[in-house]
Amino acid sequence: MLSTLDAIRNDISQRLAEGATNRRSPMHTPVVATADADARVMVLRGFNPESWTLRFHTDARSPKVAVIESDPRIGVLAYDKQAKLQLRLRGSGRIVTTGQAVDSAWSQSDNFARRCYLGSGPGEQYDQPTSGLPPEFEGVEPTDDQVNSARENFALLLVQIEEADWFSLAHTGHRRALFIGDEGRWISP
């Protein structure tokens, strides 16, 4: 059982860093909620422990982009069932469509991931079930040349964590710590 606020802050950072790099980590697919209370599971792609910034990939055409641009408040919920640990994170979201960080994230993605940005924008309506992909890319990995046009639809969602709520469930007694900025305090569960 962690017993200091410094140890817990470090635990949060380690869990998020592992979640960004290990697809088997329970922190890899947190629930992300925008200010309009719309929540979705997203893949955590990066975590900067110095700035406490989370990185997710998103489609620049997604309706959540307009929501974030008008009200940047974001909530992120991750749960590790085995450890019985919940992280509730609150912060400010920012959509980034150009620059080195976006180009780097794009170049590190494979063409199966990139092809998602070739299709229709998220939320477009159809008369039948569809992936939204052009038919020639259903189940097929496109070439580099074929995905080049998809780059304009690729964006990053960066979430600057402003508040982290660490909640450990235990039959011997739950423990909870809240961090606002750099300051932490124990609170009752």
Side-chain angles (χ1 to χ4, degrees):
M1 173 68 72
L2 300 176
S3 60
T4 69
L5 292 169
D6 286 341
I8 290 175
R9 185 174 174 86
N10 188 46
D11 181 64
I12 294 169
S13 286
Q14 287 177 356
R15 288 177 185 281
L16 294 173
E18 181 184 356
T21 58
N22 178 358
R23 63 187 293 188
R24 296 191 193 285
S25 165
M27 303 291 159
H28 187 60
T29 52
V31 174
V32 178
T34 45
D36 60 349
D38 192 9
R40 77 278 293 146
V41 173
M42 294 183 75
V43 175
L44 179 59
R45 301 291 184 174
F47 172 67
N48 182 323
E50 277 113 45
S51 65
W52 269 40
T53 303
L54 305 171
R55 176 174 53 89
F56 300 93
H57 297 174
T58 193
D59 193 308
R61 303 166 294 172
S62 171
K64 73 176 161 290
V65 170
V67 172
I68 292 166
E69 288 175 344
S70 69
D71 187 341
R73 291 177 298 156
I74 298 279
V76 178
L77 174 66
Y79 183 66
D80 183 334
K81 182 178 180 178
Q82 184 175 350
K84 297 181 182 175
L85 184 88
Q86 173 182 269
L87 293 181
R88 292 188 317 161
L89 311 170
R90 292 184 187 90
S92 296
R94 182 168 55 102
I95 300 295
V96 182
T97 59
T98 60
Q100 182 183 2
V102 184
D103 292 339
S104 176
W106 178 259
S107 69
Q108 291 172 18
S109 298
D110 65 26
N111 285 347
F112 267 119
R114 292 176 185 166
R115 80 179 174 150
C116 297
Y117 303 95
L118 282 170
S120 303
E124 285 192 31
Q125 187 171 338
Y126 284 85
D127 293 331
Q128 59 202 18
T130 181
S131 68
L133 290 173
E136 65 271 23
F137 298 122
E138 286 283 348
V140 175
E141 183 175 13
T143 66
D144 289 346
D145 288 340
Q146 290 172 317
V147 294
N148 282 340
S149 64
R151 169 59 185 85
E152 69 184 85
N153 300 323
F154 178 75
L156 301 181
L157 165 56
L158 301 177
V159 178
Q160 173 68 53
I161 300 170
E162 296 161 0
E163 185 176 304
D165 186 328
W166 179 94
F167 186 24
S168 175
L169 299 163
H171 70 279
T172 57
H174 307 321
R175 298 290 182 263
R176 188 171 172 202
L178 180 66
F179 295 86
I180 299 174
D182 289 332
E183 290 197 27
R185 62 181 176 258
W186 295 105
I187 60 177
S188 70

